[in-house]
Amino acid sequence: MSMVIAAVAVGLGALTIVLLLIRQSRRRAAGHGRVNSKVSTAQPKNARMSGWRIAKAIPGLGEDYRANSAVDRVLTTKLEHHARARAARTRDTSRDSIEQQRVEKSLPGIETRFRALLDAAPVMIWMSDTTRLCTFFNKPWLDFTGRTLEQEMGNGWSEGVHPDDFERCLNVYVSSFDARKNFTMEYRLRRRDGAYRWLRDTGVPQTDADGTFLGFVGSCVDITDLRQAEEKFRSAFEFLPVAILMLDQRGRIALVNEQTERLFGYRRNELIGQPATMLVSQLMTSSSSSPRPEALTTGAARDLLARRADGTEFPVEAKLNMVRFEEDVSVLATIVDRTDRIELHRHRQELAHLARLSTMGGLAASFAHELNQPLTAILSNTQAAQRLVEADPVDLDEVCEILKDIVEDNARASEVIRGIRALVKKGVPEFASHDPAVVICDVVRLLRSDAIQRGIRVSIDVNGAPVKVYGDKVQLEQVMLNLLLNAFEAMDGCVSNDRRVTVLVTHEGPQTVRVAVRDHGTGLSGDQLAMIFKPFVTSKPNGLGLGLSISRGIVETHGGRLWAENNTDQGATFYFTLPIVDTA
Ligand SMILES: Nc1ncnc2c1ncn2[C@@H]1O[C@H](COP(=O)(O)OP(=O)(O)OP(=O)(O)O)[C@@H](O)[C@H]1O
Ligand SMILES: [Mg+2]
């Protein structure tokens, strides 16, 4: 496109200069000494502007025109040559007339070609004279309006201006004209099909070599599509459900959307020009040691405290992004109210806790059994020790062995109680590094009695080097508890040989560990596969149907995935992954 514009511009320049030469020759022949504003009105004055002036006045043409220096040099040389020739000719009118004939002969029809080039320009071009009246419109203009040159001439063009834009448009035109100043204005002009289109009109005053004002030349581009795109952007910006602020590089507010007004309780005009830190005091402060503001505009979200107009504070998530509009650099701040999110998180945790209580309640009998074993062992060992102590002589070695067993059984009972208490107690999550194999072993140990009662064998298979994941142990245990109990329950109707659950820990690439809980139970129907992760979906008379949805939530907040597949032979396998943070 720019090559086409350059070619048009160069062509315009070349032909205009030549046209200028012809005109000057003609005028001299008619007795005029030099080009000025008072020349004959047979041709519009602006038609006598040089090619480079017109090219310069039309955005996109001037630079390309000048840039083509090779052609420019040729033209400049021709012009200088002509100027010298003209100086000589003023002393010799007969030689002048010969020169004029030579130019006209060598460049036949050049004026027509000049006009053809103006008509071929990719923009709408107009020219006005010193009285503000328009004297020329190129073909793209006439094609656009569907009117004749005669209709548009003078003030005729203004009939097509949208009535709502007319006064503003006229004021800009008249005031710029009188001040001889460049102007750019946007207005709607009626197209030939009756539709109004937005034009960006750029007018530039023109003077001749002596500085005499010749009128204006202007060019228009249809910016309707651009304005529509801008309008869409503005609407999207305005109605986005998050607060968005455009800041200058010093952190002052340049633009805000409606949600910002609503969230902070300020009106727009109270915010524009103010520092963004009046809303979020830490917004422009880097938590890292880097003092550069660019360090903040990484798009990473930060949890900060915001302040409303009434002084109340609330938690927000704030992101800063650098936005470049050509030369202009701005900062886009996105602020999301976290109050609801924090509430939701709290509710989720409460629900998870209630679900845990429910699960643990269902396991009360097996926990009692699990505790009963070490307690019974402790009792019988204590009785044996008593008998040994009463004997004569006392077999101290045997007594020591018995006491050691009692300590071990006590430790086992304490471990069960600790495990139960950890799962039942209501506490805030405590994130730390854990070996997933250790978490799995703890849960399997807790369920040992339940598994024995059901006649289920549980095996744990850990492949690869030990790893660590980062998370809350209680939550991770809740996931395992749920998956193992589901597997146990799915095998309720199975023959005893099939009652096996295998827990397989493998590496899924260098950064992820995968846990698979495989059973030989009923498996999952197609419908179940689609539904079981939704809350309150259960096939069990006493089930809440929350286990899997809570487990998936936990795994996802730990950065992993939880899904289920049917085994090819029998039963189902539930998988979950977790990111590895460190090797154990
Ligand atoms: N290993 C499995 N084999 C077959 N079906 C399963 C298995 N695990 C889960 N399901 C099905 O998915 C349903 C939902 O499981 P989920 O753990 O969410 O709830 P629940 O076990 O029914 O109740 P609870 O909330 O007490 O855990 C179960 O009712 C069961 O129908
Ligand atoms: Mg369950």
Side-chain angles (χ1 to χ4, degrees):
M1 178 66 163
S2 63
M3 284 182 66
V4 174
I5 293 174
V8 170
V10 169
L12 276 174
L15 291 168
T16 309
I17 288 166
V18 178
L19 181 67
L20 188 67
L21 304 185
I22 297 168
R23 291 278 175 74
Q24 285 172 338
S25 302
R26 280 187 185 151
R27 285 182 53 246
R28 270 193 307 279
H32 291 274
R34 63 182 180 88
V35 177
N36 63 31
S37 63
K38 294 187 177 59
V39 286
S40 141
T41 53
Q43 292 290 330
K45 286 171 201 162
N46 292 310
R48 285 187 298 277
M49 285 175 198
S50 69
W52 72 265
R53 275 172 199 281
I54 295 168
K56 205 171 70 170
I58 299 165
L61 290 187
E63 288 73 19
D64 289 331
Y65 173 80
R66 266 194 300 272
N68 199 326
S69 55
V71 183
D72 222 15
R73 265 197 310 278
V74 173
L75 295 172
T76 311
T77 316
K78 275 191 178 182
L79 188 60
E80 284 167 355
H81 168 78
H82 176 75
R84 278 196 303 276
R86 190 178 62 174
R89 282 197 306 274
T90 50
R91 294 188 299 272
D92 184 346
T93 49
S94 64
R95 279 175 63 196
D96 182 47
S97 117
I98 293 163
E99 175 69 9
Q100 179 191 333
Q101 282 168 21
R102 192 186 69 75
V103 169
E104 287 186 352
K105 233 181 185 172
S106 64
L107 297 157
I110 206 74
E111 186 178 346
T112 318
R113 288 171 66 192
F114 164 65
R115 281 189 177 274
L117 270 167
L118 273 188
D119 287 344
V123 287
M124 296 156 68
I125 299 169
W126 56 264
M127 292 183 199
S128 61
D129 63 14
T130 53
T131 66
R132 298 191 200 132
L133 295 175
C134 284
T135 51
F136 172 78
F137 292 91
N138 73 344
K139 187 168 179 298
W141 178 289
L142 300 176
D143 287 347
F144 178 92
T145 57
R147 284 155 58 94
T148 61
L149 183 61
E150 290 66 36
Q151 286 174 307
E152 297 294 70
M153 292 284 265
N155 283 328
W157 62 275
S158 65
E159 288 164 19
V161 175
H162 193 286
D164 292 350
D165 302 335
F166 183 78
E167 207 173 311
R168 178 177 51 83
C169 183
L170 202 68
N171 284 344
V172 173
Y173 179 65
V174 170
S175 59
S176 309
F177 199 98
D178 292 348
R180 313 278 195 255
K181 270 194 175 156
N182 294 4
F183 66 83
T184 298
M185 61 180 174
E186 291 177 9
Y187 58 89
R188 281 160 290 179
L189 189 69
R190 199 171 48 232
R191 203 168 54 183
R192 61 187 312 137
D193 60 0
Y196 280 99
R197 304 283 293 177
W198 278 100
L199 299 187
R200 179 170 295 146
D201 191 340
T202 307
V204 181
Q206 297 298 302
T207 50
D208 68 7
D210 301 331
T212 309
F213 178 57
L214 299 175
F216 266 64
V217 60
S219 60
C220 307
V221 283
D222 187 339
I223 55 159
T224 312
D225 294 342
L226 187 70
R227 280 186 75 108
Q228 278 170 357
E230 272 174 14
E231 196 49 46
K232 277 184 196 155
F233 167 77
R234 222 189 314 271
S235 308
F237 177 80
E238 204 50 45
F239 300 118
L240 274 176
V242 288
I244 301 185
L245 299 90
M246 190 77 84
L247 314 177
D248 64 20
Q249 276 182 294
R250 289 182 306 143
R252 292 194 173 271
I253 302 170
L255 200 67
V256 297
N257 68 349
E258 197 182 307
Q259 186 60 21
T260 310
E261 295 179 289
R262 212 176 296 152
L263 186 61
F264 290 94
Y266 285 102
R267 280 199 305 276
R268 205 166 291 226
N269 57 354
E270 294 173 307
L271 292 173
I272 305 297
Q274 297 300 320
T277 47
M278 79 183 254
L279 302 177
V280 182
S281 60
Q282 298 292 306
L283 190 66
M284 309 306 282
T285 314
S286 172
S287 53
S288 76
S289 54
S290 170
R292 292 180 304 129
E294 305 88 80
L296 292 165
T297 56
T298 57
R302 289 181 301 151
D303 292 340
L304 301 172
L305 214 54
R307 182 189 287 269
R308 294 192 187 87
D310 63 10
T312 53
E313 292 190 324
F314 62 105
V316 292
E317 182 185 280
K319 279 185 204 173
L320 296 181
N321 283 87
M322 195 87 92
V323 185
R324 286 178 201 280
F325 300 110
E326 296 180 348
E327 301 291 282
D328 204 21
V329 179
S330 301
V331 176
L332 193 73
T334 316
I335 296 174
V336 182
D337 185 355
R338 287 181 62 230
T339 316
D340 289 351
R341 226 189 285 175
I342 287 173
E343 271 296 280
L344 186 69
H345 188 64
R346 204 171 55 77
H347 287 148
R348 275 212 189 124
Q349 275 184 359
E350 296 221 334
L351 192 64
H353 178 241
L354 287 175
R356 259 192 337 259
L357 283 184
S358 158
T359 307
M360 299 301 273
L363 289 169
S366 54
F367 288 149
H369 185 256
E370 186 70 16
L371 278 176
N372 218 19
Q373 277 189 338
L375 289 178
T376 309
I378 288 169
L379 180 64
S380 62
N381 276 330
T382 312
Q383 286 167 343
Q386 269 175 342
R387 278 196 302 276
L388 282 174
V389 170
E390 284 162 8
D392 190 21
V394 179
D395 185 346
L396 281 179
D397 287 347
E398 188 62 28
V399 172
C400 279
E401 273 301 304
I402 288 176
L403 288 177
K404 211 173 123 209
D405 284 351
I406 290 173
V407 170
E408 276 174 11
D409 284 329
N410 179 66
R412 209 173 119 201
S414 300
E415 190 58 26
V416 174
I417 292 169
R418 192 205 56 76
I420 296 169
R421 274 186 54 187
L423 281 164
V424 168
K425 85 164 191 249
K426 189 177 173 185
V428 286
E430 286 171 21
F431 279 73
S433 294
H434 298 286
D435 182 344
V438 172
V439 176
I440 292 165
C441 287
D442 285 353
V443 178
V444 170
R445 196 172 305 130
L446 205 63
L447 292 178
R448 204 181 63 131
S449 287
D450 196 57
I452 291 170
Q453 275 169 18
R454 294 172 189 262
I456 293 170
R457 276 167 294 140
V458 182
S459 57
I460 304 171
D461 194 354
V462 181
N463 285 344
V467 291
K468 290 243 163 138
V469 298
Y470 189 69
D472 177 59
K473 191 166 184 230
V474 172
Q475 290 186 15
L476 296 176
E477 283 182 346
Q478 185 168 2
V479 174
M480 272 316 293
L481 194 64
N482 215 342
L483 297 183
L484 284 169
L485 283 176
N486 280 350
F488 290 1
E489 284 159 358
M491 294 192 297
D492 273 350
C494 292
V495 290
S496 61
N497 262 358
D498 285 343
R499 295 189 175 206
R500 317 191 292 278
V501 175
T502 313
V503 183
L504 182 63
V505 183
T506 47
H507 289 205
E508 196 185 82
Q511 278 154 6
T512 309
V513 63
R514 190 181 74 183
V515 179
V517 180
R518 180 187 170 89
D519 64 50
H520 289 82
T522 52
L524 297 152
S525 69
D527 283 355
Q528 275 183 311
L529 272 171
M531 298 294 290
I532 53 173
F533 291 100
K534 295 202 161 80
F536 308 113
V537 173
T538 182
S539 59
K540 302 168 193 169
N542 299 320
L544 291 175
L546 286 175
L548 287 176
S549 76
I550 289 173
S551 299
R552 185 174 259 183
I554 291 173
V555 171
E556 285 177 356
T557 51
H558 282 74
R561 284 192 314 124
L562 169 61
W563 72 101
E565 286 172 14
N566 275 318
N567 301 330
T568 45
D569 50 354
Q570 191 184 341
T573 303
F574 281 74
Y575 299 91
F576 69 89
T577 58
L578 291 170
I580 296 171
V581 289
D582 204 356
T583 47

